[in-house]
Amino acid sequence: MAMQTNSNFKYLVGLATLSIWLTACDPLDEMPAENTRAYVPVYHKSEDVYKTTYSAARAMSRPGKQYVYGNLLLQTEQNEGIHLIDISTPSSPRKIGFLEIPLCTEMSVKQGYLYANNFDDIVVIDLAAAGGPKLVKRLKKVFTPPNQEYPPFFNVAFECVDPAKGIVTDWVLKDSVSKANCRR
């Protein structure tokens, strides 16, 4: 009986090793040819990631979550900021401004203050400030930054990250990439 169990164990170890070997990453010499479909990193300069400003209303392109505060509808623009929309006349909502908060994906409001993520920070913005919303506090390094060394997909070709270009904030799939020299 012990002989049979030992033989089964060796067989399972061998099968697991073969499975891992067959599903491993492609070697560099088998990377896709130039001008292939691949993911490309989108960079932000680190000094631009932490700038928050209030500007004129603008069109929505990647709308996210909404929050209603009194007569104000707040709508996230994924990774860019928050739209402010006056809904005092529900049949005629009116865009009134845009809070540029790079890498913002989440928000909440309490007692007139907007709390939003700004990459790995939390920003606190007074919504009732004279002249428009104003940044009143920044809590630094609250969140662990996401791992952006590679796209959040498996078995894909991508352009390797160059830290000298800044912080990777997104990944975009492009059809004709000449430097798709990484694979995950």
Side-chain angles (χ1 to χ4, degrees):
M1 185 67 139
M3 179 77 100
Q4 181 68 23
T5 304
N6 192 23
S7 177
N8 286 345
F9 178 73
K10 287 181 182 178
Y11 174 76
L12 289 174
V13 168
L15 187 61
T17 303
L18 178 63
S19 296
I20 291 170
W21 181 76
L22 289 173
T23 60
C25 295
D26 293 339
L28 289 177
D29 60 344
E30 294 180 25
M31 291 305 297
E34 287 189 12
N35 298 322
T36 188
R37 187 176 175 111
Y39 285 90
V40 176
V42 175
Y43 296 95
H44 273 81
K45 293 180 182 174
S46 58
E47 61 269 17
D48 293 340
V49 168
Y50 299 105
K51 288 183 181 175
T52 58
T53 57
Y54 183 61
S55 61
R58 66 182 208 187
M60 290 184 194
S61 60
R62 291 175 40 180
K65 297 179 180 178
Q66 297 177 342
Y67 193 96
V68 174
Y69 173 70
N71 288 327
L72 194 60
L73 172 71
L74 305 167
Q75 170 96 50
T76 60
E77 182 74 32
Q78 291 300 302
N79 290 321
E80 294 182 35
I82 300 172
H83 297 275
L84 282 73
I85 303 163
D86 179 355
I87 57 169
S88 57
T89 307
S91 60
S92 299
R94 185 177 54 90
K95 291 181 184 178
I96 57 174
F98 184 74
L99 276 166
E100 294 179 40
I101 307 172
L103 305 171
C104 174
T105 56
E106 300 289 337
M107 68 174 157
S108 186
V109 178
K110 185 173 183 179
Q111 298 176 347
Y113 291 96
L114 168 70
Y115 298 83
N117 69 309
N118 176 210
F119 192 51
D120 55 351
D121 291 356
I122 291 178
V123 292
V124 182
I125 297 171
D126 183 355
L127 291 172
K134 299 272 189 253
L135 177 68
V136 293
K137 187 159 180 93
R138 174 179 294 279
L139 303 169
K140 294 184 178 188
K141 310 285 184 213
V142 174
F143 305 109
T144 303
N147 182 355
Q148 294 288 44
E149 294 176 27
Y150 41 79
F153 311 104
F154 291 96
N155 200 25
V156 296
F158 61 96
E159 186 177 287
C160 295
V161 172
D162 180 357
K165 292 182 178 180
I167 297 171
V168 176
T169 58
D170 203 0
W171 290 88
V172 177
L173 183 60
K174 294 197 174 180
D175 286 325
S176 185
V177 178
S178 61
K179 296 180 182 178
N181 48 0
C182 286
R183 185 168 197 77
R184 176 174 187 223

